[in-house]
Each structure stands twice: as C-alpha cells, then as structure tokens.
Amino acid sequence: MGVAIDTYGHQGINPSFKAYVEGAVWPKKSTIKKFITATASNTFVLKPYVAPDKLDFLDGLFPQEKPVPTTQLQSEYAPLGLIISFVRNHLKVPYSSKLADRLDYLHEASIEEAPEQSPISVDSLQGFINFLKKEQNLGEPDVVLSYEGNIRAEWHKSRREHFAVEFLPDCQVRYVIFSSDPDYPSRTNRVSGLVSAETLMKKAEPFNVLSWATR
Amino acid sequence: MPTKKDPIPDNNHVSRYVGYDQIAPNGRITGKAFQLRENESSLSVNWLEFFDLKDRKAEIQKIREAFADKGRGVGTKAKFVALNVGEIRKYVQQESDDNRILSVLHDPQDNDLSHSGIYNMRHDDPIIGDLIADLVNEEQIYPAKNP
C-alpha cells in the first residue's frame, strides 16, 4: 500500500493531497525527480510508513508499483506517518502530541515484535481518529494494539470503570464495558459487542461510561 | 514426565509473554495481552512449576531461555506475566456472563517443554481477556529480556 504523488503543485505534491498533509515535511523536488526518472512515469509510490524527516529510503530502490491516479487518493492510502503527523499537528484534543508520540512508540514496537505483531492498521487508526474528532469530550485513552494491528483505546479507571474500544478496519468497533450496577453497587455489569463507530456511545450511555471517561 | 494435555494444578502458575504493544503507557497489562490470535485455538502460556525450581525469578529465566531456544525474539520492553492457574479459572468462571470454564493444559513442544495452553477462549469475545488482565498486579510482571 502506498501513496501516489505526481509532479503537479508545490514540490511535486498534488495540491489537493497537500491540503490533507499540510504541515508534513516532504522530499525536495530534486529527490522526487531523481526517482521519477527511474520510473519513467510522473508518479511514484511511498512505503506505507514514512517519518516525515526520514526520507533516505528514496535513495534506495524499491519495487515499482502501478501508479495510482491522484484522483484515487483516499485516506486509506495515506501513509501511517502522515496520519500520525495529522494527529500531532491538527487533531484538536489537548493530548494530541502525547498521542502522536504513543503511536510512534507502538509502531516501533510492532516492528520489533514482528511477525507475531502486525503493524498498525491504517484503516483502524483512521477510524480511531475519526471517533476522537467526533467525541471530543472523552478524556485521553490508553492506546494499545491487537495482534492484528488494530487500535484499541481504553478508558480504564478501575476494575469496575473500564471502557475499551477496538477499531476494526471495516469501520465497526468491538467494545467492552465493565461498570458498577447502579441498582446493586456491589455488582459489576460486563458487556461487550460489535457495533458501528457511530452508534457506540449510544450503546455505552446506559453504563454511565461518561462518568469516568470524560475529560 | 507429564503427558500432553494434562491439566495444570490450580495451585500452580503460568506465564504469558506480553509485547509492548499490549501494555498501557503506565505499565498496566491490558486485556489484549490475553486474546487469541486468528490462527490459535488456545492461549499460549508456559507452566512455571514444570521446572521445579521454587524460585519465580529462576523460573522466568527458564522461560527466557525457552524463547531463545525456539527462536522467538522478545521485545526490548516486553514482559512476562505470572498468574495463578486456579485464580484465573475461578475469576473467569465467577465473573463472565456465561460462567466460562477455562482449562489450562500442559502442551509441551519439542523445544519448549513447559509450553501450555489456556483452552475454551473465543476469538470474538474480548471480555475474558480483560477479566484475566484484571488479575495482574505489579509483583507478577517481569522483563522479557534478561535485565
């Protein structure tokens, strides 16, 4: 999976795509041209993950892939590093920088633990970011990965105040809630389910999740 | 010599390898550490009393050696978590909505004789993993890499 970039626009970046990745550091035009010559095409493909300030791979060779027309650029093609950059610079939550750092750590750890650990799923991460953008009253979650690379966000205060959400690549979420039973305080309600991200908080509401998971 | 698929006694302990990706930033072991992978039918663990060492740190060192012997790399920040078999089985049975009865069976492998498995877990049920994670406290967590 990669990103196709053509030579239109500023420093070889398609203007519409640049709008999405504004703030990221991109390779110099001379570097892009060096590779574009080799492909005999005006597009090239980046690896799925590119730390914006680590672009030495462009000096090496990697397999040529079929150029992706820029009109097909979608978030699913965005390299992981671009999403993390977006989180760091544009996600409007107080903990955006910490979250971006955490995602970087998780990515590095997934490389170290491979093949038993898959890398971060871009689709899962995108779903998680979309959820945070919508539910801005939620506090900072603990973020971990499933072995398949799905993001799992946890708002965990105690054994009886636990809200965990795994973002699946197909826009569904698998959730777990442990909460006190309001009618029987010594008891714990435990539920799990599979729903769309859009309906998750309606499912969570009866369990008083917002009493411990908000900022 | 214990045979394959013998139940491990409830008063014994097993260890579970936990990669950094399943550990919260504050060091809390999350339920994702106790989830089946897609191709697994049991949760892979190691039987600690198998070594008859009566010293937990020495037992964990044996697990490190077993991982090395079978070519299983360990992450720099990964951990081994030691849990009591009976506590896992009792807590999960009491607290899961289906009163799930887990089996912890010795399942030796050629180059990992203490290898065992926790059976009767499901791929689509994250509650059991989160329940097991509830049982972990700091004293039960050991570095996966030799300190």
Side-chain angles (χ1 to χ4, degrees):
Chain A
M1 184 186 299
V3 173
I5 299 177
D6 65 22
T7 53
Y8 295 110
H10 179 61
Q11 291 196 345
I13 300 171
N14 181 292
S16 61
F17 189 68
K18 178 179 180 297
Y20 181 84
V21 299
E22 188 177 333
V25 175
W26 285 97
K28 293 178 183 174
K29 196 170 185 179
S30 56
T31 308
I32 298 173
K33 269 193 165 175
K34 179 176 152 186
F35 194 81
I36 287 172
T37 311
T39 62
S41 130
N42 66 350
T43 62
F44 67 93
V45 180
L46 287 176
K47 292 282 191 183
Y49 174 79
V50 177
D53 58 345
K54 292 184 176 62
L55 296 164
D56 294 335
F57 72 89
L58 282 175
D59 293 327
L61 290 176
F62 55 87
Q64 290 185 24
E65 296 185 32
K66 187 175 178 182
V68 176
T70 54
T71 52
Q72 289 182 10
L73 280 175
Q74 297 171 25
S75 62
E76 67 182 13
Y77 289 112
L80 185 63
L82 298 178
I83 301 180
I84 295 176
S85 178
F86 174 84
V87 169
R88 188 181 303 283
N89 298 306
H90 298 288
L91 185 62
K92 288 178 176 36
V93 293
Y95 52 86
S96 59
S97 183
K98 276 181 69 180
L99 177 57
D101 287 345
R102 175 67 178 168
L103 293 171
D104 273 334
Y105 288 141
L106 290 176
H107 172 72
E108 288 174 16
S110 71
I111 293 173
E112 193 180 29
E113 297 278 356
E116 282 77 16
Q117 175 66 52
S118 295
I120 298 177
S121 159
V122 171
D123 289 333
S124 171
L125 178 58
Q126 193 69 63
F128 171 53
I129 300 306
N130 291 342
F131 178 78
L132 289 183
K133 283 160 67 177
K134 184 170 168 251
E135 305 292 341
Q136 295 210 1
N137 58 336
L138 286 174
E140 180 183 352
D142 291 333
V143 179
V144 295
L145 294 185
S146 73
Y147 297 124
E148 297 80 28
N150 295 332
I151 295 285
R152 194 194 215 209
E154 299 192 3
W155 291 265
H156 178 94
K157 200 172 168 188
S158 69
R159 282 188 181 188
R160 306 170 79 192
E161 294 164 307
H162 173 72
F163 177 43
V165 184
E166 181 176 343
F167 293 83
L168 305 181
D170 61 358
C171 298
Q172 290 193 291
V173 296
R174 184 166 279 128
Y175 67 93
V176 172
I177 301 173
F178 294 171
S179 67
S180 297
D181 187 324
D183 296 325
Y184 301 95
S186 63
R187 295 183 190 171
T188 306
N189 288 323
R190 293 193 179 87
V191 294
S192 68
L194 182 67
V195 296
S196 69
E198 287 77 23
T199 58
L200 172 64
M201 294 313 291
K202 279 187 193 163
K203 289 285 185 182
E205 191 183 339
F207 299 96
N208 216 21
V209 161
L210 294 178
S211 69
W212 75 81
T214 47
R215 296 194 216 165
Chain B
M1 174 75 173
T3 56
K4 201 176 176 78
K5 301 290 171 57
D6 280 340
I8 294 176
D10 278 353
N11 63 352
N12 279 200
H13 300 76
V14 292
S15 67
R16 171 73 175 168
Y17 176 82
V18 181
Y20 180 70
D21 286 309
Q22 283 76 49
I23 303 174
N26 65 354
R28 178 175 62 86
I29 305 296
T30 69
K32 275 293 153 189
F34 305 102
Q35 304 260 265
L36 291 178
R37 288 185 171 83
E38 285 174 345
N39 60 348
E40 290 178 333
S41 58
S42 66
L43 193 74
S44 198
V45 292
N46 286 88
W47 180 12
L48 294 178
E49 281 81 359
F50 172 82
F51 302 104
D52 198 22
L53 290 172
K54 298 181 175 55
D55 176 88
R56 186 55 34 84
K57 288 186 179 175
E59 290 165 349
I60 295 295
Q61 181 55 30
K62 284 291 187 184
I63 306 303
R64 294 190 188 106
E65 291 167 11
F67 270 58
D69 287 346
K70 61 183 179 180
R72 173 76 155 85
V74 297
T76 311
K77 297 180 184 176
K79 305 290 183 187
F80 286 113
V81 173
L83 291 165
N84 175 264
V85 169
E87 200 176 328
I88 295 171
R89 295 180 70 241
K90 181 179 175 185
Y91 189 65
V92 168
Q93 184 179 7
Q94 281 181 343
E95 304 296 335
S96 58
D97 58 358
D98 59 356
N99 301 119
R100 187 82 57 86
I101 298 176
L102 299 180
S103 300
V104 186
L105 306 179
H106 187 215
D107 189 9
Q109 296 174 344
D110 284 343
N111 49 6
D112 187 1
L113 295 180
S114 71
H115 182 265
S116 304
I118 300 181
Y119 288 80
N120 204 20
M121 297 184 69
R122 291 204 301 253
H123 293 89
D124 58 353
D125 180 9
I127 283 188
I128 303 299
D130 284 12
L131 282 173
I132 297 175
D134 270 354
L135 296 171
V136 178
N137 58 53
E138 281 184 23
E139 292 78 33
Q140 298 162 297
I141 302 173
Y142 301 84
K145 268 202 186 301
N146 221 342

